[in-house]
């Protein structure tokens, strides 16, 4: 299947426009191009295999293909589970830190901290974050973290050791 990256990026842009438009310093086109580059960047790590095919395929199915809501929902976990994507970013940017976290079997919060994605020290167990921790990105990160925890700790068919 051919992935329509231009259309995917257009759809993502329209989805996040309201959030992004509040900050003129965000270069959305640049961010979307980098998102694509990271997904497609080839690395030799069996724990991260499949990201370059599964995420684009799921985005194509969810955002572009004319599927029913139920069928689109079947592809949602491939995109919503952000831990493999963030692990890949850490593996690319700091392989030593990535290996430490992997060997210590530390999870998503360690990856988020290592990538510097939590400058306001949001407590991910708070719902919603406190007013002092409320930049819009933190709100979305908390939602993604809690979704990951629901799936990672409560679903019998899924574990952190699964192959991607």
């Amino acid at each position: 299947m051919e992935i329509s990256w231009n259309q995917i990026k257009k759809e993502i842009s329209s989805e996040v426009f309201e959030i992004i438009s509040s900050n003129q310093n965000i270069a959305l086109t640049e961010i979307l191009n980098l998102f694509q580059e990271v997904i497609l960047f080839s690395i030799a790590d069996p724990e991260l295999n499949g990201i370059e095919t599964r995420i684009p395929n799921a985005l194509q199915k969810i955002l572009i293909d004319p599927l029913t809501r139920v069928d689109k929902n079947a592809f949602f976990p491939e995109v919503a589970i952000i831990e493999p994507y963030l692990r890949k970013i850490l593996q690319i940017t700091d392989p030593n830190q990535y290996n430490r976290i992997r060997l210590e079997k530390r999870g998503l919060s360690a990856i988020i901290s290592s990538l510097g994605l939590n400058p306001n020290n949001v407590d991910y167990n708070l719902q919603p974050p406190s007013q002092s921790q409320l930049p819009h990105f933190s709100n979305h990160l908390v939602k993604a973290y809690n979704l990951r925890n629901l799936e990672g700790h409560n679903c019998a068919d899924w574990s952190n050791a699964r192959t991607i």
Side-chain angles (χ1 to χ4, degrees), residues 147-161:
L147 175 65
R148 174 265 188 198
N149 279 347
L150 275 173
E151 189 157 65
H153 298 295
N154 296 327
C155 295
D157 296 342
W158 192 89
S159 75
N160 289 338

Side-chain angles (χ1 to χ4, degrees), residues 78-93:
E78 299 298 336
V79 177
I81 301 170
I82 64 167
E83 187 170 349
Y85 179 75
L86 294 179
R87 282 186 183 275
K88 185 172 185 177
I89 292 173
L90 186 59
Q91 203 278 344
I92 292 167
T93 60

